[in-house]
Amino acid sequence: MKKRIIAVIVILAVLVALFFIGTGFQKRMDVVLVDYSVSEDGTEITLDVGIPTSTGYIRGFKDNGSGVKPHYLTFFSTFGGINSPIGAEHSFQLELTSDDTEIYFNRPEGGYELILVKDEETGQWLRPSGIGEENNTIFEATILEIRDNYFLVEPVEGSQELNNADLITVPMKNIGTAPQPNVGDIIEIAYNGEIAESYPAQITEVYGIKVVKEAEQWDLIPMVMVNGELYIDTGHESTVEARCGVMDGEITSEVDGSEKPTKDNQSNFGTGYGYQYGSQEGIIEINMNEKWWVFATEKVLASSELMIDPVAVVSIHNVFTGENANITENEDIRTISNILCGDAWNTEGTTDCLSNIEITINEETYKYHSDCGTFNDNVNQNYLSLDDERKAVVNAIFSEYISLTATEVPAE
């Protein structure tokens, strides 16, 4: 019985291996030429090819002609099945001689189609009249987003596609060799010329994609110009919402070279953006999508001066005992800051509570009575009364640093 099981396993393994290898010898008869280039000495041509459908890959070709004969190229599928990417290639090199004049691709029923021909007068390799215009449409576009199985692109200025749609989704199919496309890159897209009318518009049949211009590093980093100083995104969120969200001003100066956030960065900057100066020189905090993000000058970024998590200095003082302390835990600072930044302040003046605690945050001082759970803002003549739950939270934080004695300590 055991020998029979082993025999069955061996047979299955052989069948799987035969299938895996056999699929690699299946001919692809729908290969199209996306682009090509000839070496300076004319001894080699690089063929960038693709498949017009959404299934299958190419692993290689066989040249059935050379020298004084035309090149008859037969292409083959990858090993492992119709959608297996194992060994997939999109760019192939073909050696040339001075006598070569034509290149053909294999087609159904053993036929071949003329793809490239050599001009006898100029020596240049060209597509035959009609090829390319009939089968391929090529345009350039900038990658705005990369998702699981497609690119979201914007056609470049001057392209016919931009007249039809400013945003197009393009499936990740038949992507050329390195470099691989990234956000901000300009890519060349060869497709069947059909764009589905939707928003964003859609291209479904892609013959080839290749990068024609890589995005420069600075193109990918959000930056702002504030009062003549350029600040660059550090990628870090501020630990506190300083000054209770009061912004020093709106960003109306240059943002990435324009007078407002560019379309590329609009999703990052969001709406209602503004700025405030950070906890050290050369740092500002930008309010984007209800969060504060840390931006720094090139000088700060290039030095060791950058505090990755700038923390506001928060000090507390018991007016009766004379105790002083700084709140050091970021979470405690955030909690107190969020409470003080709430919208429940009463603007009719301050209360008569005999405050026992003074808290200073970002150079603004508030008085607090731990028994009443009331903050007084003497400068702006406002007060904030906490409910029992929030009073318990604030008192628990303060008691970690100083005592909450609320009456005068008798002299000894």
Side-chain angles (χ1 to χ4, degrees):
M1 183 66 180
K2 186 176 180 180
K3 291 182 178 179
R4 182 178 299 175
I5 293 175
I6 294 175
V8 171
I9 293 175
V10 170
I11 292 173
L12 290 175
V14 171
L15 291 175
V16 169
L18 290 174
F19 171 79
F20 181 87
I21 296 173
T23 53
F25 291 96
Q26 291 181 346
K27 297 178 181 180
R28 291 294 316 208
M29 294 173 287
D30 55 352
V31 177
V32 296
L33 180 66
V34 176
D35 200 2
Y36 66 97
S37 60
V38 181
S39 61
E40 292 185 3
D41 59 7
T43 60
E44 185 178 77
I45 186 170
T46 299
L47 305 173
D48 293 326
V49 299
I51 296 173
T53 63
S54 59
T55 57
Y57 296 90
I58 308 166
R59 70 167 179 86
F61 69 89
K62 179 181 179 182
D63 186 2
N64 296 314
S66 61
V68 296
K69 299 179 181 179
H71 292 273
Y72 292 99
L73 307 186
T74 300
F75 291 89
F76 297 94
S77 297
T78 50
F79 295 107
I82 190 169
N83 266 329
S84 170
I86 299 175
E89 296 288 346
H90 299 290
S91 183
F92 302 96
Q93 284 71 47
L94 178 66
E95 292 185 2
L96 300 174
T97 70
S98 58
D99 295 325
D100 294 338
T101 57
E102 296 172 331
I103 298 175
Y104 291 80
F105 283 8
N106 65 308
R107 293 294 180 250
E109 300 179 359
Y112 288 88
E113 179 184 359
L114 179 61
I115 300 299
L116 290 172
V117 61
K118 186 177 179 181
D119 189 302
E120 295 183 1
E121 294 183 2
T122 65
Q124 290 182 315
W125 284 89
L126 304 171
R127 296 175 186 263
S129 177
I131 291 183
E133 296 178 0
E134 179 181 351
N135 298 328
N136 296 339
T137 300
I138 298 176
F139 74 103
E140 293 183 357
T142 302
I143 299 177
L144 303 181
E145 294 181 21
I146 297 179
R147 302 195 178 178
D148 291 339
N149 57 0
Y150 68 87
F151 299 110
L152 178 65
V153 304
E154 178 185 24
V156 299
E157 292 290 338
S159 63
Q160 180 63 40
E161 283 72 15
L162 185 59
N163 296 331
N164 298 326
D166 61 343
L167 293 177
I168 302 175
T169 60
V170 180
M172 294 180 180
K173 184 69 177 175
N174 295 323
I175 300 174
T177 55
Q180 289 297 296
N182 289 304
V183 171
D185 290 349
I186 296 178
I187 56 175
E188 184 181 84
I189 302 163
Y191 71 112
N192 65 344
E194 297 179 5
I195 301 179
E197 293 184 1
S198 60
Y199 193 80
Q202 301 178 55
I203 290 175
T204 56
E205 293 192 7
V206 175
Y207 301 153
I209 296 173
K210 71 175 183 178
V211 175
V212 294
K213 181 181 179 183
E214 293 184 83
E216 296 182 7
Q217 180 183 9
W218 294 113
D219 292 339
L220 306 178
I221 302 177
M223 56 188 73
V224 296
M225 185 79 74
V226 178
N227 296 329
E229 187 79 57
L230 183 65
Y231 295 84
I232 301 167
D233 185 13
T234 66
H236 297 281
E237 183 182 355
S238 175
T239 57
V240 294
E241 296 180 7
R243 287 192 284 280
C244 290
V246 176
M247 296 176 288
D248 289 320
E250 293 184 356
I251 301 176
T252 56
S253 301
E254 291 185 353
V255 178
D256 284 349
S258 65
E259 295 181 354
K260 61 182 180 179
T262 63
K263 185 190 306 183
D264 293 347
N265 291 327
Q266 191 69 51
S267 60
N268 293 330
F269 280 91
T271 58
Y273 53 89
Y275 73 91
Q276 61 191 15
Y277 287 97
S279 58
Q280 66 182 104
E281 185 176 356
I283 285 182
I284 62 172
E285 296 170 6
I286 306 295
N287 183 261
M288 299 183 294
N289 300 328
E290 300 181 353
K291 292 184 179 181
W292 290 92
W293 296 92
V294 181
F295 282 62
T297 63
E298 289 186 79
K299 179 180 177 182
V300 172
L301 287 173
S303 68
S304 58
E305 301 172 4
L306 177 62
M307 296 169 58
I308 296 300
D309 294 311
V311 178
V313 176
V314 179
S315 61
I316 51 178
H317 167 69
N318 188 313
V319 298
F320 294 115
T321 66
E323 295 173 89
N324 294 293
N326 287 333
I327 298 180
T328 56
E329 292 295 327
N330 287 354
E331 190 59 37
D332 291 343
I333 296 174
R334 185 187 297 277
T335 299
I336 298 298
S337 176
N338 287 341
I339 289 175
L340 292 176
C341 292
D343 57 2
W345 284 84
N346 189 303
T347 60
E348 297 178 355
T350 58
T351 68
D352 295 329
C353 288
L354 185 62
S355 301
N356 58 314
I357 303 294
E358 289 183 349
I359 174 172
T360 301
I361 178 170
N362 290 311
E363 301 180 354
E364 296 180 2
T365 300
Y366 306 88
K367 295 183 180 296
Y368 175 72
H369 190 212
S370 58
D371 287 346
C372 296
T374 302
F375 284 99
N376 279 316
D377 180 357
N378 292 335
V379 174
N380 297 305
Q381 287 296 294
N382 298 332
Y383 74 89
L384 174 65
S385 294
L386 305 181
D387 56 30
D388 290 341
E389 182 179 353
R390 291 198 297 170
K391 182 180 77 171
V393 170
V394 171
N395 288 351
I397 292 175
F398 285 169
S399 64
E400 289 289 327
Y401 300 91
I402 61 174
S403 66
L404 296 182
T405 300
T407 57
E408 189 172 0
V409 177
E412 294 184 358

